[in-house]
Amino acid sequence: MTTSIINSQKLSDEPGNSNFRLKDIIKTVPRECFQQNRRKAWTQVLLSVLAVALGYYSLIVTPWFLLPLAWIFTGTALTGFFVIGHDCGHRSFAKRRWVNDLVGHFFMMPLIYPFHSWRIKHNYHHAHTNKLDEDNAWHPIRPEVFENWDTTRQSAFKLFMRKRLWWVGSIGHWAVVHFDWRNFKTKDQSSIKLSVAVVVVFAAISFPLLVATTGIWGFVKFWLVPWMIYHFWMSTFTIVHHTAADVPFATANKWNEALAQLAGTIHCDYPRWVEILCHDINVHVPHHISTAIPSYNLRLAYSSIKENWGPYLHDECQFSWPLMKQITDECQLYTTDVGYKTFNEHYEHYTEQ
């Protein structure tokens, strides 16, 4: 029996799995994985700042026919900015909260990402990973939900999957979820307003200045395209971390936190330069075991988790076009307690009824 089949059965055949607890997994992770290291944290900051600076310098001096390479490098380096903000959002960057908040705002500001909005929504994702109707980072669309959509929305979703448009997914999530403080609890709204104000002020100053000094093309060249490359990685990391034909999403009564984090989170290897610039965010299983593990300790933690909990882990994969094609071709609609179906399989079943 393969690991993937074990995972699927574990999550679907043992409702609640009350004897399998996340804290039991955490206890097996070496204590040093949770220790914050100021030198390593600020070294990551320095690496990202230098990489982004190098990226923008390359955009200035690179001839037009090499601009795509410079854009890819710069956008990937900017993703490192987000990962630093990501650690800050989980309070794993520094011991002092105000340092996490300050650094988090600073590094997410150029991405026009409200820090506290993202932090609160993302922590909710960790609390409900792979739980149907609750996970807010990436969740499959159920057939009954799909059928209740109007024709326009159905067509848009089918186009999104069939035309491999996964890479714009995080842009929609960013735009819809993170700017309206009314979607958050009253106690959080003042923090949300602060974070939204930070990015609005940044955009109000930097965008007109950029256009005034470099023109519309300068805005596209120096901000818009690198920002879209950053969202390519955001969308890709998000969908790959939790999506495969054999990764189940469970209803609340059958959901187990420990199994969801182990079997429902996928380790994917990317080109080494991407992993360096993005601070190993692809080593995602330990991050779901505990958000207290800083990004520079993820590989050490993952080695321990593989040693102690290997049979529960999903098979590792390698980032590639065939992988993304497989995900978008196979993981289109999700039937509760059954799994993913393609649009064609859904319509065949629908017409048979």
Side-chain angles (χ1 to χ4, degrees), residues 31-42 84 87-104 291-294 296-297:
R31 185 170 299 178
E32 61 189 293
C33 295
F34 300 91
Q35 294 175 352
Q36 295 179 8
N37 185 306
R38 211 178 315 180
R39 178 185 59 82
K40 290 181 180 179
W42 288 101
I84 291 171
D87 272 14
C88 291
H90 289 304
R91 313 304 190 193
S92 62
F93 179 84
K95 290 182 171 61
R96 291 181 173 85
R97 176 167 293 191
W98 70 267
V99 176
N100 286 306
D101 287 350
L102 180 63
V103 174
T291 58
I293 301 174
Y296 46 80
N297 289 334

mmCIF file of all heavy atoms in Angstrom, residues 31-42 84 87-104 291-294 296-297:
data_model
loop_
_atom_site.group_PDB
_atom_site.id
_atom_site.type_symbol
_atom_site.label_atom_id
_atom_site.label_comp_id
_atom_site.label_asym_id
_atom_site.label_seq_id
_atom_site.Cartn_x
_atom_site.Cartn_y
_atom_site.Cartn_z
ATOM 1 N N ARG A 31 14.082 20.345 20.024
ATOM 2 C CA ARG A 31 13.804 21.651 20.624
ATOM 3 C C ARG A 31 14.514 22.777 19.891
ATOM 4 O O ARG A 31 14.012 23.899 19.821
ATOM 5 C CB ARG A 31 14.211 21.619 22.102
ATOM 6 C CG ARG A 31 13.853 22.886 22.871
ATOM 7 C CD ARG A 31 14.057 22.711 24.351
ATOM 8 N NE ARG A 31 13.202 21.648 24.881
ATOM 9 C CZ ARG A 31 13.216 21.259 26.176
ATOM 10 N NH1 ARG A 31 14.050 21.848 27.013
ATOM 11 N NH2 ARG A 31 12.417 20.304 26.586
ATOM 12 N N GLU A 32 15.684 22.468 19.353
ATOM 13 C CA GLU A 32 16.451 23.520 18.675
ATOM 14 C C GLU A 32 15.721 24.067 17.445
ATOM 15 O O GLU A 32 16.003 25.178 16.994
ATOM 16 C CB GLU A 32 17.821 22.992 18.271
ATOM 17 C CG GLU A 32 17.769 21.821 17.297
ATOM 18 C CD GLU A 32 19.126 21.172 17.083
ATOM 19 O OE1 GLU A 32 20.003 21.836 16.508
ATOM 20 O OE2 GLU A 32 19.294 20.004 17.511
ATOM 21 N N CYS A 33 14.775 23.293 16.899
ATOM 22 C CA CYS A 33 14.018 23.762 15.738
ATOM 23 C C CYS A 33 13.131 24.956 16.081
ATOM 24 O O CYS A 33 12.768 25.733 15.194
ATOM 25 C CB CYS A 33 13.167 22.633 15.175
ATOM 26 S SG CYS A 33 14.112 21.253 14.493
ATOM 27 N N PHE A 34 12.776 25.092 17.346
ATOM 28 C CA PHE A 34 11.888 26.170 17.767
ATOM 29 C C PHE A 34 12.656 27.405 18.244
ATOM 30 O O PHE A 34 12.040 28.431 18.528
ATOM 31 C CB PHE A 34 10.973 25.686 18.890
ATOM 32 C CG PHE A 34 10.100 24.520 18.498
ATOM 33 C CD1 PHE A 34 10.525 23.214 18.701
ATOM 34 C CD2 PHE A 34 8.861 24.728 17.910
ATOM 35 C CE1 PHE A 34 9.732 22.139 18.338
ATOM 36 C CE2 PHE A 34 8.061 23.657 17.550
ATOM 37 C CZ PHE A 34 8.496 22.360 17.760
ATOM 38 N N GLN A 35 13.964 27.279 18.346
ATOM 39 C CA GLN A 35 14.760 28.377 18.892
ATOM 40 C C GLN A 35 14.985 29.462 17.848
ATOM 41 O O GLN A 35 15.448 29.191 16.738
ATOM 42 C CB GLN A 35 16.101 27.844 19.404
ATOM 43 C CG GLN A 35 15.970 26.913 20.610
ATOM 44 C CD GLN A 35 17.289 26.292 21.026
ATOM 45 O OE1 GLN A 35 18.302 26.423 20.325
ATOM 46 N NE2 GLN A 35 17.287 25.607 22.152
ATOM 47 N N GLN A 36 14.673 30.682 18.218
ATOM 48 C CA GLN A 36 14.913 31.816 17.333
ATOM 49 C C GLN A 36 16.378 32.225 17.405
ATOM 50 O O GLN A 36 16.986 32.234 18.472
ATOM 51 C CB GLN A 36 14.023 32.991 17.732
ATOM 52 C CG GLN A 36 12.547 32.726 17.540
ATOM 53 C CD GLN A 36 11.690 33.895 17.968
ATOM 54 O OE1 GLN A 36 12.191 34.967 18.284
ATOM 55 N NE2 GLN A 36 10.372 33.698 17.995
ATOM 56 N N ASN A 37 16.920 32.520 16.246
ATOM 57 C CA ASN A 37 18.324 32.916 16.142
ATOM 58 C C ASN A 37 18.375 34.280 15.463
ATOM 59 O O ASN A 37 18.070 34.397 14.275
ATOM 60 C CB ASN A 37 19.101 31.870 15.340
ATOM 61 C CG ASN A 37 20.582 32.154 15.290
ATOM 62 O OD1 ASN A 37 21.017 33.244 14.906
ATOM 63 N ND2 ASN A 37 21.387 31.169 15.670
ATOM 64 N N ARG A 38 18.719 35.306 16.241
ATOM 65 C CA ARG A 38 18.704 36.668 15.717
ATOM 66 C C ARG A 38 19.627 36.822 14.512
ATOM 67 O O ARG A 38 19.303 37.492 13.538
ATOM 68 C CB ARG A 38 19.110 37.644 16.816
ATOM 69 C CG ARG A 38 18.451 39.007 16.683
ATOM 70 C CD ARG A 38 18.841 39.933 17.813
ATOM 71 N NE ARG A 38 18.786 39.309 19.120
ATOM 72 C CZ ARG A 38 19.087 39.933 20.246
ATOM 73 N NH1 ARG A 38 19.473 41.185 20.230
ATOM 74 N NH2 ARG A 38 19.009 39.302 21.394
ATOM 75 N N ARG A 39 20.784 36.180 14.570
ATOM 76 C CA ARG A 39 21.746 36.295 13.464
ATOM 77 C C ARG A 39 21.170 35.701 12.185
ATOM 78 O O ARG A 39 21.258 36.307 11.113
ATOM 79 C CB ARG A 39 23.064 35.597 13.835
ATOM 80 C CG ARG A 39 24.112 35.630 12.716
ATOM 81 C CD ARG A 39 25.341 34.825 13.101
ATOM 82 N NE ARG A 39 25.028 33.438 13.386
ATOM 83 C CZ ARG A 39 24.871 32.499 12.468
ATOM 84 N NH1 ARG A 39 24.954 32.816 11.172
ATOM 85 N NH2 ARG A 39 24.614 31.249 12.819
ATOM 86 N N LYS A 40 20.575 34.515 12.283
ATOM 87 C CA LYS A 40 20.007 33.884 11.094
ATOM 88 C C LYS A 40 18.827 34.691 10.549
ATOM 89 O O LYS A 40 18.672 34.833 9.333
ATOM 90 C CB LYS A 40 19.564 32.455 11.425
ATOM 91 C CG LYS A 40 20.721 31.495 11.686
ATOM 92 C CD LYS A 40 20.207 30.091 11.979
ATOM 93 C CE LYS A 40 21.361 29.132 12.228
ATOM 94 N NZ LYS A 40 20.888 27.754 12.544
ATOM 95 N N ALA A 41 18.003 35.215 11.457
ATOM 96 C CA ALA A 41 16.844 35.984 11.021
ATOM 97 C C ALA A 41 17.264 37.235 10.255
ATOM 98 O O ALA A 41 16.755 37.529 9.166
ATOM 99 C CB ALA A 41 15.987 36.364 12.227
ATOM 100 N N TRP A 42 18.213 37.967 10.802
ATOM 101 C CA TRP A 42 18.632 39.205 10.152
ATOM 102 C C TRP A 42 19.527 38.951 8.946
ATOM 103 O O TRP A 42 19.625 39.789 8.042
ATOM 104 C CB TRP A 42 19.301 40.136 11.159
ATOM 105 C CG TRP A 42 18.289 40.712 12.102
ATOM 106 C CD1 TRP A 42 18.032 40.313 13.385
ATOM 107 C CD2 TRP A 42 17.346 41.753 11.815
ATOM 108 N NE1 TRP A 42 17.003 41.040 13.926
ATOM 109 C CE2 TRP A 42 16.570 41.941 12.994
ATOM 110 C CE3 TRP A 42 17.098 42.551 10.697
ATOM 111 C CZ2 TRP A 42 15.553 42.891 13.060
ATOM 112 C CZ3 TRP A 42 16.087 43.502 10.777
ATOM 113 C CH2 TRP A 42 15.333 43.664 11.934
ATOM 114 N N ILE A 84 9.661 36.719 4.939
ATOM 115 C CA ILE A 84 10.077 37.377 6.177
ATOM 116 C C ILE A 84 8.848 37.910 6.915
ATOM 117 O O ILE A 84 8.708 37.728 8.131
ATOM 118 C CB ILE A 84 11.071 38.509 5.870
ATOM 119 C CG1 ILE A 84 12.397 37.915 5.371
ATOM 120 C CG2 ILE A 84 11.326 39.364 7.122
ATOM 121 C CD1 ILE A 84 13.365 38.939 4.829
ATOM 122 N N ASP A 87 7.080 34.994 8.617
ATOM 123 C CA ASP A 87 7.636 34.647 9.927
ATOM 124 C C ASP A 87 7.178 35.653 10.984
ATOM 125 O O ASP A 87 6.839 35.274 12.114
ATOM 126 C CB ASP A 87 9.164 34.617 9.868
ATOM 127 C CG ASP A 87 9.708 33.251 9.460
ATOM 128 O OD1 ASP A 87 8.918 32.412 8.977
ATOM 129 O OD2 ASP A 87 10.921 33.020 9.610
ATOM 130 N N CYS A 88 7.165 36.915 10.621
ATOM 131 C CA CYS A 88 6.715 37.949 11.565
ATOM 132 C C CYS A 88 5.255 37.736 11.953
ATOM 133 O O CYS A 88 4.869 37.914 13.111
ATOM 134 C CB CYS A 88 6.891 39.335 10.953
ATOM 135 S SG CYS A 88 8.615 39.844 10.741
ATOM 136 N N GLY A 89 4.445 37.353 10.982
ATOM 137 C CA GLY A 89 3.031 37.122 11.258
ATOM 138 C C GLY A 89 2.799 35.982 12.221
ATOM 139 O O GLY A 89 1.826 35.986 12.985
ATOM 140 N N HIS A 90 3.705 35.002 12.209
ATOM 141 C CA HIS A 90 3.616 33.877 13.138
ATOM 142 C C HIS A 90 4.423 34.105 14.409
ATOM 143 O O HIS A 90 4.561 33.205 15.235
ATOM 144 C CB HIS A 90 4.091 32.597 12.451
ATOM 145 C CG HIS A 90 3.148 32.086 11.411
ATOM 146 N ND1 HIS A 90 1.831 31.798 11.683
ATOM 147 C CD2 HIS A 90 3.323 31.818 10.088
ATOM 148 C CE1 HIS A 90 1.238 31.360 10.581
ATOM 149 N NE2 HIS A 90 2.123 31.379 9.599
ATOM 150 N N ARG A 91 5.002 35.308 14.555
ATOM 151 C CA ARG A 91 5.806 35.680 15.723
ATOM 152 C C ARG A 91 7.036 34.800 15.884
ATOM 153 O O ARG A 91 7.552 34.620 16.987
ATOM 154 C CB ARG A 91 4.965 35.612 17.017
ATOM 155 C CG ARG A 91 3.600 36.280 16.936
ATOM 156 C CD ARG A 91 3.691 37.723 16.518
ATOM 157 N NE ARG A 91 2.413 38.426 16.661
ATOM 158 C CZ ARG A 91 2.169 39.619 16.136
ATOM 159 N NH1 ARG A 91 3.091 40.222 15.411
ATOM 160 N NH2 ARG A 91 1.012 40.213 16.324
ATOM 161 N N SER A 92 7.518 34.238 14.769
ATOM 162 C CA SER A 92 8.712 33.393 14.825
ATOM 163 C C SER A 92 9.963 34.126 14.348
ATOM 164 O O SER A 92 11.052 33.562 14.342
ATOM 165 C CB SER A 92 8.510 32.126 13.987
ATOM 166 O OG SER A 92 8.298 32.443 12.618
ATOM 167 N N PHE A 93 9.814 35.395 13.938
ATOM 168 C CA PHE A 93 10.977 36.174 13.507
ATOM 169 C C PHE A 93 11.732 36.735 14.710
ATOM 170 O O PHE A 93 12.960 36.654 14.779
ATOM 171 C CB PHE A 93 10.539 37.318 12.594
ATOM 172 C CG PHE A 93 11.683 38.186 12.129
ATOM 173 C CD1 PHE A 93 12.448 37.819 11.027
ATOM 174 C CD2 PHE A 93 12.001 39.358 12.801
ATOM 175 C CE1 PHE A 93 13.518 38.605 10.617
ATOM 176 C CE2 PHE A 93 13.062 40.153 12.391
ATOM 177 C CZ PHE A 93 13.827 39.781 11.295
ATOM 178 N N ALA A 94 11.011 37.312 15.654
ATOM 179 C CA ALA A 94 11.635 37.929 16.830
ATOM 180 C C ALA A 94 10.786 37.636 18.058
ATOM 181 O O ALA A 94 9.604 37.310 17.960
ATOM 182 C CB ALA A 94 11.774 39.438 16.628
ATOM 183 N N LYS A 95 11.397 37.768 19.230
ATOM 184 C CA LYS A 95 10.683 37.506 20.480
ATOM 185 C C LYS A 95 9.719 38.636 20.825
ATOM 186 O O LYS A 95 8.687 38.403 21.441
ATOM 187 C CB LYS A 95 11.682 37.295 21.616
ATOM 188 C CG LYS A 95 12.476 35.989 21.510
ATOM 189 C CD LYS A 95 13.405 35.824 22.699
ATOM 190 C CE LYS A 95 14.036 34.414 22.702
ATOM 191 N NZ LYS A 95 14.843 34.153 21.527
ATOM 192 N N ARG A 96 10.060 39.851 20.458
ATOM 193 C CA ARG A 96 9.219 40.996 20.788
ATOM 194 C C ARG A 96 8.150 41.201 19.711
ATOM 195 O O ARG A 96 8.463 41.266 18.526
ATOM 196 C CB ARG A 96 10.064 42.268 20.935
ATOM 197 C CG ARG A 96 10.965 42.258 22.162
ATOM 198 C CD ARG A 96 11.750 43.560 22.270
ATOM 199 N NE ARG A 96 12.482 43.643 23.520
ATOM 200 C CZ ARG A 96 13.688 43.118 23.721
ATOM 201 N NH1 ARG A 96 14.290 42.476 22.739
ATOM 202 N NH2 ARG A 96 14.282 43.243 24.896
ATOM 203 N N ARG A 97 6.912 41.361 20.163
ATOM 204 C CA ARG A 97 5.808 41.497 19.219
ATOM 205 C C ARG A 97 5.963 42.748 18.358
ATOM 206 O O ARG A 97 5.679 42.724 17.155
ATOM 207 C CB ARG A 97 4.479 41.528 19.968
ATOM 208 C CG ARG A 97 3.273 41.767 19.070
ATOM 209 C CD ARG A 97 1.974 41.484 19.761
ATOM 210 N NE ARG A 97 1.846 40.060 20.051
ATOM 211 C CZ ARG A 97 0.718 39.477 20.466
ATOM 212 N NH1 ARG A 97 -0.362 40.213 20.639
ATOM 213 N NH2 ARG A 97 0.678 38.184 20.708
ATOM 214 N N TRP A 98 6.402 43.842 18.964
ATOM 215 C CA TRP A 98 6.493 45.091 18.199
ATOM 216 C C TRP A 98 7.520 44.980 17.082
ATOM 217 O O TRP A 98 7.357 45.586 16.019
ATOM 218 C CB TRP A 98 6.806 46.279 19.103
ATOM 219 C CG TRP A 98 8.200 46.320 19.682
ATOM 220 C CD1 TRP A 98 8.619 45.840 20.876
ATOM 221 C CD2 TRP A 98 9.357 46.906 19.064
ATOM 222 N NE1 TRP A 98 9.959 46.062 21.065
ATOM 223 C CE2 TRP A 98 10.440 46.726 19.966
ATOM 224 C CE3 TRP A 98 9.587 47.551 17.847
ATOM 225 C CZ2 TRP A 98 11.738 47.170 19.681
ATOM 226 C CZ3 TRP A 98 10.871 47.993 17.566
ATOM 227 C CH2 TRP A 98 11.926 47.805 18.469
ATOM 228 N N VAL A 99 8.578 44.166 17.303
ATOM 229 C CA VAL A 99 9.572 43.950 16.249
ATOM 230 C C VAL A 99 8.941 43.164 15.107
ATOM 231 O O VAL A 99 9.111 43.499 13.924
ATOM 232 C CB VAL A 99 10.818 43.217 16.795
ATOM 233 C CG1 VAL A 99 11.801 42.899 15.659
ATOM 234 C CG2 VAL A 99 11.499 44.051 17.874
ATOM 235 N N ASN A 100 8.209 42.115 15.443
ATOM 236 C CA ASN A 100 7.511 41.341 14.405
ATOM 237 C C ASN A 100 6.550 42.219 13.612
ATOM 238 O O ASN A 100 6.501 42.145 12.377
ATOM 239 C CB ASN A 100 6.743 40.187 15.052
ATOM 240 C CG ASN A 100 7.644 39.055 15.511
ATOM 241 O OD1 ASN A 100 8.429 38.527 14.732
ATOM 242 N ND2 ASN A 100 7.540 38.685 16.775
ATOM 243 N N ASP A 101 5.802 43.055 14.313
ATOM 244 C CA ASP A 101 4.827 43.908 13.623
ATOM 245 C C ASP A 101 5.518 44.947 12.739
ATOM 246 O O ASP A 101 5.091 45.192 11.605
ATOM 247 C CB ASP A 101 3.933 44.606 14.643
ATOM 248 C CG ASP A 101 2.927 43.663 15.295
ATOM 249 O OD1 ASP A 101 2.803 42.518 14.801
ATOM 250 O OD2 ASP A 101 2.271 44.064 16.263
ATOM 251 N N LEU A 102 6.587 45.542 13.251
ATOM 252 C CA LEU A 102 7.292 46.571 12.488
ATOM 253 C C LEU A 102 7.946 45.979 11.245
ATOM 254 O O LEU A 102 7.785 46.492 10.127
ATOM 255 C CB LEU A 102 8.343 47.246 13.367
ATOM 256 C CG LEU A 102 9.171 48.355 12.701
ATOM 257 C CD1 LEU A 102 8.273 49.508 12.285
ATOM 258 C CD2 LEU A 102 10.269 48.838 13.647
ATOM 259 N N VAL A 103 8.695 44.881 11.428
ATOM 260 C CA VAL A 103 9.380 44.244 10.304
ATOM 261 C C VAL A 103 8.359 43.669 9.326
ATOM 262 O O VAL A 103 8.518 43.773 8.104
ATOM 263 C CB VAL A 103 10.345 43.145 10.802
ATOM 264 C CG1 VAL A 103 10.955 42.382 9.630
ATOM 265 C CG2 VAL A 103 11.451 43.755 11.663
ATOM 266 N N GLY A 104 7.296 43.085 9.848
ATOM 267 C CA GLY A 104 6.260 42.528 8.980
ATOM 268 C C GLY A 104 5.625 43.589 8.101
ATOM 269 O O GLY A 104 5.444 43.387 6.893
ATOM 270 N N THR A 291 3.751 26.607 13.770
ATOM 271 C CA THR A 291 4.117 27.889 13.169
ATOM 272 C C THR A 291 5.217 28.586 13.959
ATOM 273 O O THR A 291 5.729 29.620 13.522
ATOM 274 C CB THR A 291 2.900 28.820 13.094
ATOM 275 O OG1 THR A 291 2.362 29.013 14.412
ATOM 276 C CG2 THR A 291 1.825 28.221 12.193
ATOM 277 N N ALA A 292 5.583 28.032 15.107
ATOM 278 C CA ALA A 292 6.655 28.626 15.916
ATOM 279 C C ALA A 292 8.041 28.298 15.365
ATOM 280 O O ALA A 292 9.035 28.862 15.837
ATOM 281 C CB ALA A 292 6.552 28.145 17.365
ATOM 282 N N ILE A 293 8.116 27.410 14.374
ATOM 283 C CA ILE A 293 9.409 27.044 13.788
ATOM 284 C C ILE A 293 9.812 28.111 12.780
ATOM 285 O O ILE A 293 9.135 28.296 11.771
ATOM 286 C CB ILE A 293 9.344 25.667 13.108
ATOM 287 C CG1 ILE A 293 8.933 24.588 14.115
ATOM 288 C CG2 ILE A 293 10.683 25.318 12.459
ATOM 289 C CD1 ILE A 293 8.700 23.225 13.495
ATOM 290 N N PRO A 294 10.918 28.835 13.007
ATOM 291 C CA PRO A 294 11.363 29.850 12.035
ATOM 292 C C PRO A 294 11.737 29.204 10.707
ATOM 293 O O PRO A 294 12.106 28.023 10.654
ATOM 294 C CB PRO A 294 12.588 30.477 12.715
ATOM 295 C CG PRO A 294 12.475 30.110 14.161
ATOM 296 C CD PRO A 294 11.789 28.786 14.191
ATOM 297 N N TYR A 296 14.296 29.381 8.874
ATOM 298 C CA TYR A 296 15.665 28.860 8.753
ATOM 299 C C TYR A 296 15.862 27.529 9.484
ATOM 300 O O TYR A 296 16.917 26.916 9.368
ATOM 301 C CB TYR A 296 16.686 29.899 9.250
ATOM 302 C CG TYR A 296 16.337 30.561 10.556
ATOM 303 C CD1 TYR A 296 16.570 29.933 11.777
ATOM 304 C CD2 TYR A 296 15.775 31.831 10.567
ATOM 305 C CE1 TYR A 296 16.238 30.543 12.971
ATOM 306 C CE2 TYR A 296 15.440 32.465 11.755
ATOM 307 C CZ TYR A 296 15.667 31.814 12.965
ATOM 308 O OH TYR A 296 15.346 32.428 14.146
ATOM 309 N N ASN A 297 14.848 27.081 10.215
ATOM 310 C CA ASN A 297 14.924 25.776 10.884
ATOM 311 C C ASN A 297 14.008 24.733 10.252
ATOM 312 O O ASN A 297 13.888 23.617 10.764
ATOM 313 C CB ASN A 297 14.563 25.915 12.369
ATOM 314 C CG ASN A 297 15.628 26.633 13.170
ATOM 315 O OD1 ASN A 297 16.803 26.613 12.800
ATOM 316 N ND2 ASN A 297 15.245 27.264 14.268
#
